Coordinates of all heavy atoms in Angstrom, one line a residue:
M1 N -20.3 13.2 -7.6 CA -19.0 13.0 -8.2 C -18.1 14.1 -7.8 O -16.9 13.8 -7.6 CB -19.1 13.0 -9.7 CG -19.8 11.7 -10.3 SD -19.0 10.2 -9.9 CE -17.7 10.2 -11.0
T2 N -18.6 15.3 -7.6 CA -17.7 16.4 -7.2 C -17.2 16.1 -5.8 O -16.0 16.3 -5.5 CB -18.5 17.7 -7.2 OG1 -19.1 17.9 -8.5 CG2 -17.6 18.9 -6.9
Q3 N -18.0 15.6 -4.9 CA -17.6 15.3 -3.5 C -16.6 14.2 -3.5 O -15.6 14.3 -2.8 CB -18.8 14.8 -2.7 CG -19.2 15.7 -1.6 CD -20.3 15.1 -0.7 OE1 -20.9 14.1 -1.1 NE2 -20.6 15.7 0.4
L4 N -16.8 13.2 -4.3 CA -15.8 12.1 -4.4 C -14.5 12.6 -4.9 O -13.4 12.3 -4.3 CB -16.4 11.0 -5.4 CG -15.5 9.8 -5.6 CD1 -15.3 9.1 -4.3 CD2 -16.1 8.9 -6.7
A5 N -14.5 13.4 -5.9 CA -13.2 14.0 -6.4 C -12.5 14.8 -5.4 O -11.3 14.7 -5.3 CB -13.5 14.8 -7.7
I6 N -13.2 15.6 -4.6 CA -12.6 16.4 -3.6 C -11.9 15.5 -2.5 O -10.8 15.8 -2.1 CB -13.7 17.3 -2.9 CG1 -14.1 18.4 -3.9 CG2 -13.1 18.0 -1.6 CD1 -15.3 19.2 -3.5
H7 N -12.6 14.5 -2.1 CA -12.1 13.6 -1.1 C -10.9 12.8 -1.6 O -9.9 12.6 -0.9 CB -13.1 12.6 -0.6 CG -14.2 13.3 0.3 ND1 -13.9 13.9 1.4 CD2 -15.5 13.3 0.1 CE1 -15.0 14.4 2.0 NE2 -16.0 14.1 1.2
I8 N -10.9 12.4 -2.8 CA -9.8 11.7 -3.4 C -8.6 12.6 -3.5 O -7.4 12.2 -3.3 CB -10.2 11.1 -4.8 CG1 -11.1 9.9 -4.5 CG2 -8.9 10.6 -5.5 CD1 -11.7 9.3 -5.8
R9 N -8.8 13.8 -4.0 CA -7.6 14.8 -4.1 C -7.0 15.1 -2.7 O -5.8 15.1 -2.6 CB -8.1 16.1 -4.7 CG -8.2 16.0 -6.2 CD -8.5 17.4 -6.8 NE -9.0 17.2 -8.1 CZ -10.2 17.5 -8.5 NH1 -11.1 17.9 -7.6 NH2 -10.6 17.3 -9.7
S10 N -7.9 15.2 -1.7 CA -7.3 15.5 -0.3 C -6.6 14.2 0.2 O -5.6 14.3 0.9 CB -8.4 15.9 0.6 OG -9.4 14.9 0.8
F11 N -7.1 13.0 -0.2 CA -6.4 11.8 0.2 C -5.0 11.7 -0.5 O -4.0 11.3 0.1 CB -7.2 10.6 0.0 CG -6.6 9.3 0.5 CD1 -6.6 9.0 1.8 CD2 -5.9 8.5 -0.4 CE1 -6.1 7.8 2.3 CE2 -5.3 7.3 0.0 CZ -5.4 7.0 1.4
A12 N -5.0 12.1 -1.7 CA -3.7 12.0 -2.5 C -2.7 12.9 -1.9 O -1.5 12.5 -1.9 CB -4.0 12.4 -3.9
Q13 N -3.0 14.0 -1.2 CA -2.0 14.8 -0.6 C -1.4 14.1 0.6 O -0.3 14.4 1.0 CB -2.7 16.1 -0.2 CG -3.1 17.0 -1.3 CD -3.9 18.2 -0.9 OE1 -4.2 18.4 0.3 NE2 -4.2 19.1 -1.8
L14 N -2.1 13.2 1.2 CA -1.6 12.4 2.3 C -0.5 11.4 1.9 O 0.2 10.9 2.8 CB -2.7 11.7 3.1 CG -3.8 12.5 3.7 CD1 -4.9 11.6 4.3 CD2 -3.2 13.4 4.8
L15 N -0.5 11.1 0.7 CA 0.5 10.0 0.2 C 1.9 10.4 0.2 O 2.8 9.6 0.2 CB 0.1 9.5 -1.2 CG -1.3 8.9 -1.3 CD1 -1.6 8.5 -2.7 CD2 -1.4 7.7 -0.3
K16 N 2.2 11.7 0.3 CA 3.6 12.2 0.4 C 3.9 12.2 1.9 O 3.3 12.9 2.7 CB 3.7 13.6 -0.1 CG 5.1 14.1 -0.1 CD 5.3 15.5 -0.7 CE 6.7 15.9 -0.7 NZ 6.9 17.2 -1.2
P17 N 4.9 11.4 2.3 CA 5.2 11.3 3.8 C 5.5 12.6 4.4 O 6.3 13.4 3.9 CB 6.4 10.3 3.8 CG 6.3 9.6 2.5 CD 5.7 10.5 1.5
H18 N 4.8 12.9 5.6 CA 5.0 14.1 6.3 C 4.6 13.8 7.8 O 3.6 13.1 8.0 CB 4.2 15.2 5.7 CG 4.4 16.5 6.4 ND1 3.7 17.0 7.4 CD2 5.3 17.5 6.1 CE1 4.2 18.2 7.8 NE2 5.1 18.5 7.0
P19 N 5.3 14.3 8.8 CA 4.9 14.0 10.2 C 3.5 14.5 10.6 O 2.9 13.9 11.4 CB 6.0 14.8 11.0 CG 7.1 14.9 10.1 CD 6.6 15.0 8.7
G20 N 3.0 15.5 9.9 CA 1.6 16.0 10.3 C 0.5 15.2 9.6 O -0.7 15.5 9.8
N21 N 0.8 14.2 8.8 CA -0.2 13.4 8.1 C -1.1 12.6 9.0 O -2.2 12.2 8.7 CB 0.4 12.6 7.0 CG 0.8 13.3 5.8 OD1 0.4 14.5 5.7 ND2 1.5 12.7 4.9
A22 N -0.6 12.2 10.2 CA -1.4 11.4 11.1 C -2.7 12.2 11.5 O -3.8 11.6 11.5 CB -0.6 11.0 12.4
D23 N -2.5 13.4 11.9 CA -3.7 14.3 12.2 C -4.6 14.5 11.0 O -5.8 14.5 11.1 CB -3.3 15.6 12.8 CG -2.5 15.4 14.1 OD1 -2.8 14.4 14.8 OD2 -1.6 16.2 14.5
A24 N -3.9 14.7 9.8 CA -4.7 15.0 8.6 C -5.5 13.7 8.2 O -6.6 13.9 7.7 CB -3.7 15.4 7.5
L25 N -5.0 12.6 8.5 CA -5.7 11.3 8.2 C -7.0 11.3 9.0 O -8.0 10.9 8.6 CB -4.8 10.1 8.4 CG -5.5 8.8 8.2 CD1 -5.9 8.6 6.8 CD2 -4.6 7.6 8.7
E26 N -6.8 11.6 10.3 CA -8.0 11.6 11.2 C -9.1 12.6 10.7 O -10.3 12.2 10.7 CB -7.6 12.0 12.6 CG -6.7 11.0 13.3 CD -7.3 9.6 13.4 OE1 -8.5 9.5 13.6 OE2 -6.5 8.6 13.3
L27 N -8.6 13.7 10.3 CA -9.6 14.7 9.7 C -10.2 14.2 8.5 O -11.4 14.3 8.3 CB -8.8 16.0 9.5 CG -9.6 17.1 8.8 CD1 -10.8 17.6 9.8 CD2 -8.7 18.3 8.5
W28 N -9.4 13.6 7.6 CA -10.0 13.0 6.3 C -11.0 12.0 6.6 O -12.1 12.0 6.0 CB -8.8 12.5 5.5 CG -9.3 12.0 4.1 CD1 -9.4 12.8 3.0 CD2 -9.7 10.7 3.7 NE1 -9.9 12.1 2.0 CE2 -10.0 10.8 2.4 CE3 -9.7 9.5 4.4 CZ2 -10.4 9.7 1.7 CZ3 -10.2 8.4 3.7 CH2 -10.5 8.5 2.4
I29 N -10.8 11.1 7.5 CA -11.7 10.0 7.9 C -13.0 10.6 8.4 O -14.1 10.2 8.1 CB -11.1 9.0 8.8 CG1 -10.0 8.2 8.1 CG2 -12.1 8.1 9.4 CD1 -9.2 7.2 9.0
T30 N -12.9 11.6 9.2 CA -14.1 12.3 9.8 C -14.9 12.9 8.7 O -16.1 12.8 8.7 CB -13.6 13.4 10.8 OG1 -12.8 12.8 11.8 CG2 -14.8 14.0 11.4
Q31 N -14.2 13.6 7.7 CA -14.9 14.2 6.6 C -15.6 13.2 5.7 O -16.7 13.4 5.2 CB -14.0 15.1 5.8 CG -13.5 16.3 6.5 CD -12.4 17.0 5.7 OE1 -11.8 16.5 4.8 NE2 -12.0 18.2 6.2
V32 N -14.9 12.0 5.5 CA -15.5 11.0 4.7 C -16.7 10.4 5.3 O -17.7 10.1 4.7 CB -14.5 9.9 4.4 CG1 -15.1 8.6 3.8 CG2 -13.4 10.4 3.4
R33 N -16.7 10.2 6.6 CA -17.9 9.7 7.4 C -19.1 10.6 7.2 O -20.2 10.1 7.2 CB -17.5 9.5 8.8 CG -16.7 8.2 9.1 CD -16.6 8.0 10.5 NE -15.8 6.8 10.8 CZ -15.0 6.6 11.8 NH1 -15.0 7.6 12.7 NH2 -14.4 5.5 12.0
A34 N -18.8 11.9 7.2 CA -19.9 12.9 7.1 C -20.5 12.9 5.7 O -21.7 13.3 5.5 CB -19.4 14.3 7.4
A35 N -19.7 12.5 4.7 CA -20.2 12.4 3.3 C -21.1 11.2 3.1 O -20.9 10.2 3.8 CB -19.1 12.4 2.3
E36 N -22.0 11.3 2.1 CA -22.8 10.1 1.8 C -22.2 9.4 0.6 O -22.8 9.3 -0.5 CB -24.2 10.6 1.4 CG -24.9 11.2 2.6 CD -26.3 11.6 2.3 OE1 -26.9 11.1 1.3 OE2 -26.9 12.5 3.0
L37 N -21.0 8.8 0.8 CA -20.3 8.0 -0.2 C -20.0 6.6 0.4 O -18.9 6.5 1.0 CB -19.1 8.7 -0.6 CG -19.3 10.1 -1.2 CD1 -18.0 10.9 -1.3 CD2 -19.9 9.9 -2.6
P38 N -20.8 5.6 0.3 CA -20.6 4.3 1.0 C -19.3 3.6 0.6 O -18.7 3.0 1.4 CB -21.8 3.5 0.6 CG -22.6 4.3 -0.5 CD -22.1 5.7 -0.5
H39 N -18.9 3.8 -0.6 CA -17.6 3.1 -1.0 C -16.4 3.8 -0.3 O -15.5 3.1 0.1 CB -17.4 3.2 -2.5 CG -18.3 2.3 -3.2 ND1 -19.6 2.7 -3.5 CD2 -18.2 1.1 -3.7 CE1 -20.2 1.7 -4.2 NE2 -19.4 0.7 -4.3
L40 N -16.5 5.1 -0.1 CA -15.4 5.7 0.7 C -15.5 5.3 2.2 O -14.5 5.3 2.9 CB -15.5 7.2 0.5 CG -14.7 7.8 -0.7 CD1 -14.8 9.3 -0.7 CD2 -13.3 7.3 -0.7
H41 N -16.7 5.1 2.7 CA -16.9 4.7 4.0 C -16.2 3.3 4.2 O -15.5 3.1 5.2 CB -18.4 4.5 4.4 CG -19.1 5.8 4.5 ND1 -20.3 5.9 5.0 CD2 -18.7 7.1 4.1 CE1 -20.8 7.2 4.9 NE2 -19.8 7.9 4.4
A42 N -16.3 2.4 3.3 CA -15.7 1.1 3.4 C -14.2 1.3 3.3 O -13.5 0.6 4.0 CB -16.2 0.2 2.2
F43 N -13.7 2.2 2.4 CA -12.3 2.4 2.4 C -11.7 2.9 3.7 O -10.7 2.5 4.2 CB -12.0 3.4 1.2 CG -10.5 3.7 1.0 CD1 -9.6 2.7 0.6 CD2 -10.0 4.9 1.3 CE1 -8.3 3.0 0.4 CE2 -8.7 5.3 1.1 CZ -7.8 4.3 0.7
A44 N -12.4 3.9 4.3 CA -12.0 4.5 5.5 C -12.0 3.4 6.6 O -11.1 3.4 7.5 CB -12.9 5.6 5.9
R45 N -13.0 2.5 6.6 CA -13.0 1.5 7.7 C -11.8 0.6 7.5 O -11.1 0.1 8.5 CB -14.3 0.6 7.5 CG -15.4 1.2 8.2 CD -16.6 0.2 8.4 NE -17.0 -0.4 7.1 CZ -17.9 0.2 6.3 NH1 -18.5 1.3 6.6 NH2 -18.2 -0.5 5.1
G46 N -11.4 0.3 6.2 CA -10.2 -0.5 6.0 C -8.9 0.2 6.5 O -8.0 -0.4 7.1
L47 N -8.9 1.5 6.3 CA -7.7 2.3 6.8 C -7.7 2.2 8.3 O -6.6 2.1 8.9 CB -7.8 3.7 6.4 CG -7.6 4.0 4.9 CD1 -7.8 5.5 4.6 CD2 -6.2 3.6 4.4
E48 N -8.8 2.3 9.0 CA -8.9 2.3 10.4 C -8.5 0.9 11.0 O -7.9 0.8 12.1 CB -10.3 2.7 10.9 CG -10.5 4.2 10.8 CD -11.8 4.6 11.3 OE1 -12.8 3.8 11.1 OE2 -11.9 5.7 11.9
R49 N -8.8 -0.2 10.3 CA -8.5 -1.5 10.8 C -7.0 -1.7 10.9 O -6.5 -2.4 11.8 CB -9.0 -2.6 9.8 CG -10.3 -3.1 10.3 CD -10.8 -4.3 9.4 NE -11.8 -3.8 8.6 CZ -11.9 -3.9 7.3 NH1 -11.0 -4.6 6.6 NH2 -12.9 -3.4 6.6
D50 N -6.2 -1.1 10.1 CA -4.8 -1.2 10.1 C -4.1 0.2 10.3 O -3.2 0.6 9.6 CB -4.2 -1.9 8.8 CG -2.9 -2.5 9.0 OD1 -2.4 -2.6 10.2 OD2 -2.3 -3.0 8.0
R51 N -4.7 0.9 11.3 CA -4.3 2.3 11.5 C -2.8 2.5 11.7 O -2.2 3.4 11.1 CB -5.1 2.8 12.7 CG -4.8 4.3 13.1 CD -5.5 4.7 14.3 NE -6.9 4.6 14.2 CZ -7.7 5.5 13.7 NH1 -7.2 6.6 13.3 NH2 -9.0 5.3 13.6
D52 N -2.1 1.7 12.5 CA -0.7 1.9 12.7 C 0.1 1.8 11.5 O 1.0 2.6 11.2 CB -0.2 0.8 13.7 CG -0.8 1.0 15.1 OD1 -1.2 2.2 15.4 OD2 -0.8 0.0 15.9
A53 N -0.2 0.8 10.6 CA 0.6 0.7 9.4 C 0.3 1.9 8.4 O 1.2 2.4 7.8 CB 0.2 -0.6 8.7
V54 N -0.9 2.3 8.4 CA -1.3 3.5 7.5 C -0.6 4.7 8.0 O 0.0 5.5 7.2 CB -2.8 3.6 7.5 CG1 -3.2 4.9 6.7 CG2 -3.5 2.4 6.8
I55 N -0.6 5.0 9.3 CA 0.0 6.2 9.8 C 1.5 6.1 9.6 O 2.2 7.1 9.2 CB -0.3 6.3 11.3 CG1 -1.8 6.8 11.4 CG2 0.6 7.4 12.0 CD1 -2.3 6.9 12.9
A56 N 2.1 4.9 9.7 CA 3.6 4.8 9.4 C 3.9 5.1 8.0 O 4.8 5.8 7.6 CB 4.1 3.4 9.8
T57 N 3.0 4.6 7.1 CA 3.2 4.9 5.7 C 3.1 6.4 5.3 O 3.8 6.9 4.5 CB 2.1 4.1 4.8 OG1 2.2 2.7 5.1 CG2 2.2 4.4 3.4
F58 N 2.2 7.1 6.0 CA 1.9 8.5 5.7 C 2.9 9.4 6.4 O 3.0 10.6 6.0 CB 0.5 8.9 6.1 CG -0.5 8.3 5.2 CD1 -1.9 8.4 5.6 CD2 -0.2 7.7 4.0 CE1 -2.9 7.9 4.7 CE2 -1.2 7.2 3.2 CZ -2.5 7.3 3.5
T59 N 3.6 8.9 7.4 CA 4.5 9.8 8.2 C 6.0 9.5 8.0 O 6.8 10.5 8.1 CB 4.2 9.7 9.7 OG1 4.3 8.4 10.1 CG2 2.8 10.3 10.0
F60 N 6.4 8.3 7.7 CA 7.8 8.0 7.5 C 8.2 7.9 6.1 O 7.5 7.4 5.2 CB 8.1 6.6 8.2 CG 7.9 6.6 9.7 CD1 7.0 5.8 10.3 CD2 8.6 7.5 10.5 CE1 6.8 5.8 11.6 CE2 8.4 7.5 11.9 CZ 7.5 6.6 12.4
P61 N 9.4 8.3 5.7 CA 9.9 8.3 4.3 C 10.4 7.0 3.9 O 11.0 6.8 2.8 CB 10.9 9.4 4.3 CG 11.5 9.4 5.7 CD 10.4 9.1 6.6
Y62 N 10.3 5.9 4.7 CA 10.9 4.6 4.4 C 9.9 3.7 3.7 O 8.7 3.8 3.9 CB 11.4 4.0 5.7 CG 12.2 4.9 6.6 CD1 11.8 5.3 7.8 CD2 13.5 5.3 6.1 CE1 12.5 6.2 8.5 CE2 14.3 6.1 6.9 CZ 13.8 6.6 8.1 OH 14.5 7.4 8.9
S63 N 10.4 2.8 2.9 CA 9.6 1.9 2.2 C 10.3 0.5 2.0 O 11.5 0.5 1.9 CB 9.3 2.4 0.8 OG 8.6 1.5 0.0
N64 N 9.5 -0.5 2.0 CA 10.1 -1.9 1.8 C 9.8 -2.3 0.4 O 9.9 -3.5 0.1 CB 9.6 -2.8 2.9 CG 8.2 -3.1 2.7 OD1 7.4 -2.4 2.1 ND2 7.7 -4.2 3.3
G65 N 9.5 -1.4 -0.5 CA 9.2 -1.8 -1.9 C 10.3 -2.6 -2.6 O 10.0 -3.5 -3.3
L66 N 11.5 -2.2 -2.4 CA 12.6 -2.9 -3.1 C 12.7 -4.3 -2.6 O 12.9 -5.3 -3.5 CB 13.9 -2.2 -2.9 CG 14.0 -0.8 -3.6 CD1 15.3 -0.1 -3.2 CD2 13.9 -0.9 -5.1
A67 N 12.6 -4.6 -1.3 CA 12.7 -5.9 -0.8 C 11.5 -6.8 -1.3 O 11.7 -7.9 -1.7 CB 12.8 -5.9 0.7
E68 N 10.3 -6.2 -1.3 CA 9.2 -6.9 -1.8 C 9.3 -7.3 -3.3 O 8.9 -8.3 -3.7 CB 7.9 -6.1 -1.5 CG 7.5 -6.0 -0.1 CD 7.3 -7.3 0.6 OE1 6.7 -8.2 -0.1 OE2 7.6 -7.4 1.8
G69 N 9.9 -6.4 -4.0 CA 10.1 -6.6 -5.4 C 11.0 -7.8 -5.7 O 10.8 -8.7 -6.5
V70 N 12.1 -7.9 -4.9 CA 13.0 -9.0 -5.0 C 12.3 -10.3 -4.6 O 12.5 -11.4 -5.2 CB 14.3 -8.8 -4.1 CG1 15.1 -10.0 -4.0 CG2 15.1 -7.6 -4.7
N71 N 11.5 -10.3 -3.5 CA 10.8 -11.5 -3.1 C 9.8 -12.0 -4.1 O 9.7 -13.2 -4.4 CB 10.0 -11.2 -1.8 CG 10.9 -11.0 -0.6 OD1 12.1 -11.4 -0.6 ND2 10.4 -10.4 0.5
T72 N 9.1 -11.0 -4.7 CA 8.2 -11.4 -5.8 C 8.9 -12.0 -7.0 O 8.4 -13.0 -7.5 CB 7.4 -10.1 -6.2 OG1 6.7 -9.6 -5.1 CG2 6.4 -10.5 -7.3
K73 N 10.0 -11.4 -7.4 CA 10.7 -12.0 -8.5 C 11.3 -13.4 -8.2 O 11.2 -14.3 -9.0 CB 11.9 -11.0 -8.8 CG 12.8 -11.5 -10.0 CD 13.9 -10.4 -10.2 CE 14.8 -10.9 -11.2 NZ 15.9 -9.9 -11.4
T74 N 11.8 -13.6 -7.0 CA 12.3 -14.9 -6.6 C 11.2 -15.9 -6.6 O 11.4 -17.1 -7.1 CB 13.0 -14.8 -5.2 OG1 14.0 -13.8 -5.3 CG2 13.6 -16.1 -4.8
K75 N 10.0 -15.6 -6.1 CA 8.9 -16.5 -6.0 C 8.4 -16.9 -7.4 O 8.1 -18.0 -7.7 CB 7.8 -15.9 -5.2 CG 8.1 -15.9 -3.7 CD 6.9 -15.3 -3.0 CE 7.2 -15.3 -1.5 NZ 6.0 -14.7 -0.7
R76 N 8.4 -15.9 -8.3 CA 8.0 -16.1 -9.7 C 8.9 -17.1 -10.4 O 8.5 -18.1 -11.0 CB 8.0 -14.8 -10.5 CG 7.5 -15.0 -11.9 CD 7.6 -13.7 -12.7 NE 8.8 -13.0 -12.6 CZ 9.9 -13.2 -13.3 NH1 9.9 -14.1 -14.2 NH2 11.0 -12.5 -13.1
I77 N 10.2 -16.9 -10.2 CA 11.2 -17.8 -10.8 C 11.0 -19.2 -10.2 O 11.1 -20.2 -10.9 CB 12.6 -17.3 -10.6 CG1 12.8 -16.0 -11.5 CG2 13.7 -18.4 -11.0 CD1 14.1 -15.3 -11.2
A78 N 10.9 -19.3 -8.9 CA 10.7 -20.6 -8.3 C 9.5 -21.3 -8.8 O 9.5 -22.6 -9.0 CB 10.7 -20.5 -6.8
R79 N 8.4 -20.6 -9.0 CA 7.1 -21.2 -9.5 C 7.3 -21.7 -10.9 O 6.8 -22.8 -11.3 CB 6.0 -20.2 -9.5 CG 5.2 -20.2 -8.1 CD 3.9 -19.5 -8.2 NE 3.9 -18.3 -8.3 CZ 4.3 -17.0 -7.8 NH1 4.5 -16.8 -7.3 NH2 4.3 -15.9 -7.8
Q80 N 8.0 -20.9 -11.7 CA 8.3 -21.3 -13.1 C 9.1 -22.6 -13.2 O 9.0 -23.4 -14.1 CB 9.0 -20.2 -13.9 CG 8.2 -19.0 -14.2 CD 9.0 -17.9 -14.8 OE1 10.2 -17.9 -14.8 NE2 8.3 -16.9 -15.3
M81 N 10.0 -22.8 -12.2 CA 10.9 -23.9 -12.3 C 10.5 -25.1 -11.4 O 11.2 -26.1 -11.3 CB 12.3 -23.5 -11.8 CG 13.0 -22.5 -12.7 SD 14.6 -22.1 -12.1 CE 15.4 -23.7 -12.1
H82 N 9.3 -25.0 -10.8 CA 8.8 -26.0 -9.9 C 8.9 -27.5 -10.5 O 8.3 -27.7 -11.5 CB 7.4 -25.8 -9.5 CG 6.8 -26.8 -8.5 ND1 7.2 -26.8 -7.2 CD2 5.9 -27.8 -8.7 CE1 6.6 -27.8 -6.6 NE2 5.8 -28.4 -7.5
G83 N 9.7 -28.3 -9.9 CA 9.8 -29.7 -10.2 C 10.7 -30.0 -11.4 O 10.9 -31.1 -11.8
R84 N 11.4 -29.0 -11.9 CA 12.2 -29.1 -13.1 C 13.7 -29.3 -12.8 O 14.4 -30.0 -13.5 CB 12.1 -28.0 -14.0 CG 10.7 -27.8 -14.6 CD 10.7 -26.8 -15.7 NE 9.3 -26.6 -16.1 CZ 8.9 -25.6 -16.7 NH1 9.7 -24.6 -17.1 NH2 7.6 -25.4 -17.1
A85 N 14.1 -28.7 -11.7 CA 15.6 -28.7 -11.5 C 15.8 -28.5 -10.0 O 14.9 -28.2 -9.2 CB 16.3 -27.6 -12.3
G86 N 17.0 -28.7 -9.6 CA 17.4 -28.5 -8.2 C 17.7 -27.1 -7.8 O 17.6 -26.1 -8.6
F87 N 18.2 -27.0 -6.6 CA 18.5 -25.7 -6.0 C 19.6 -25.0 -6.8 O 19.6 -23.8 -6.9 CB 18.9 -25.9 -4.5 CG 19.2 -24.6 -3.9 CD1 18.3 -23.7 -3.5 CD2 20.6 -24.3 -3.6 CE1 18.6 -22.5 -2.9 CE2 20.9 -23.1 -3.0 CZ 19.9 -22.2 -2.7
T88 N 20.6 -25.7 -7.3 CA 21.7 -25.1 -8.0 C 21.2 -24.3 -9.2 O 21.7 -23.2 -9.4 CB 22.7 -26.2 -8.4 OG1 23.0 -27.0 -7.3 CG2 23.9 -25.6 -9.0
L89 N 20.3 -24.9 -10.0 CA 19.8 -24.1 -11.2 C 19.0 -23.0 -10.7 O 19.0 -21.9 -11.4 CB 19.1 -25.1 -12.1 CG 18.6 -24.5 -13.4 CD1 19.7 -23.9 -14.2 CD2 17.8 -25.5 -14.2
L90 N 18.2 -23.2 -9.7 CA 17.3 -22.1 -9.2 C 18.2 -20.9 -8.8 O 18.0 -19.7 -9.1 CB 16.5 -22.6 -8.1 CG 15.6 -21.5 -7.3 CD1 14.6 -20.8 -8.3 CD2 14.9 -22.1 -6.1
R91 N 19.3 -21.2 -8.0 CA 20.2 -20.2 -7.5 C 20.8 -19.4 -8.7 O 20.9 -18.2 -8.8 CB 21.2 -20.8 -6.7 CG 22.2 -19.8 -6.1 CD 23.3 -20.5 -5.2 NE 24.2 -19.6 -4.7 CZ 25.3 -19.2 -5.3 NH1 25.6 -19.7 -6.5 NH2 26.2 -18.4 -4.8
H92 N 21.2 -20.2 -9.7 CA 21.9 -19.6 -10.9 C 20.9 -18.7 -11.6 O 21.3 -17.6 -12.0 CB 22.3 -20.8 -11.8 CG 23.1 -20.3 -13.0 ND1 24.3 -19.7 -13.0 CD2 22.7 -20.3 -14.4 CE1 24.7 -19.4 -14.2 NE2 23.8 -19.7 -15.0
R93 N 19.6 -19.1 -11.8 CA 18.7 -18.2 -12.5 C 18.4 -17.0 -11.7 O 18.2 -15.9 -12.3 CB 17.4 -19.0 -12.7 CG 17.5 -19.9 -13.9 CD 16.2 -20.3 -14.5 NE 15.4 -19.2 -14.9 CZ 14.1 -19.2 -15.2 NH1 13.5 -20.4 -15.1 NH2 13.4 -18.2 -15.5
I94 N 18.3 -17.1 -10.4 CA 18.1 -15.9 -9.6 C 19.2 -14.9 -9.7 O 19.0 -13.7 -9.8 CB 17.8 -16.3 -8.1 CG1 16.4 -17.0 -8.0 CG2 17.8 -15.1 -7.2 CD1 16.1 -17.6 -6.7
L95 N 20.4 -15.4 -9.6 CA 21.6 -14.5 -9.7 C 21.7 -13.9 -11.0 O 22.2 -12.7 -11.1 CB 22.9 -15.3 -9.3 CG 23.0 -15.8 -7.8 CD1 24.2 -16.6 -7.7 CD2 23.0 -14.6 -6.9
L96 N 21.4 -14.6 -12.1 CA 21.5 -14.0 -13.4 C 20.3 -13.1 -13.8 O 20.4 -12.3 -14.7 CB 21.6 -15.1 -14.5 CG 22.9 -15.9 -14.5 CD1 22.9 -16.9 -15.5 CD2 24.1 -14.9 -14.7
G97 N 19.1 -13.4 -13.1 CA 17.9 -12.6 -13.5 C 17.9 -11.3 -12.8 O 17.5 -10.3 -13.1

């Protein structure tokens, strides 16, 4: 448990965007592979599968969170209204919501 806590704390430091985080991520993955924690091994493999996106997340201060939130809200409203009304009412609910 102590090893797991140490690795999680060091990973949490990577979540604040900084240009040097790309190298720190490589070091973190190497350290996790050396540890005998199979669940962290699986997590590290997932990070490596989408390495470019992960490095962009850890190095750039930009986020698309606001746009994704609007998309989610719009889809939720559209699902709630499915088959009940036309585009005019859907547009009205989105603009008011």
Side-chain angles (χ1 to χ4, degrees):
M1 290 301 280
T2 305
Q3 244 187 350
L4 178 63
I6 290 169
H7 289 301
I8 289 173
R9 282 190 197 107
S10 63
F11 184 78
Q13 293 174 355
L14 295 174
L15 296 177
K16 184 177 180 185
H18 186 270
N21 281 350
D23 296 331
L25 177 66
E26 297 299 325
L27 177 63
W28 186 84
I29 290 173
T30 304
Q31 291 172 349
V32 165
R33 283 188 180 148
E36 294 183 23
L37 300 166
H39 289 82
L40 273 184
H41 291 191
F43 180 68
R45 277 193 305 274
L47 292 175
E48 287 182 322
R49 262 187 255 131
D50 203 7
R51 180 181 301 270
D52 292 336
V54 173
I55 289 175
T57 300
F58 289 167
T59 56
F60 298 119
Y62 311 110
S63 171
N64 67 341
L66 293 175
E68 291 299 327
V70 170
N71 289 342
T72 301
K73 181 179 173 184
T74 303
K75 287 179 182 183
R76 180 182 49 84
I77 292 171
R79 271 194 286 312
Q80 288 173 347
M81 295 183 58
H82 181 71
R84 295 188 187 165
F87 179 75
T88 307
L89 184 59
L90 174 63
R91 181 179 179 276
H92 185 68
R93 280 202 57 196
I94 289 172
L95 292 175
L96 291 178

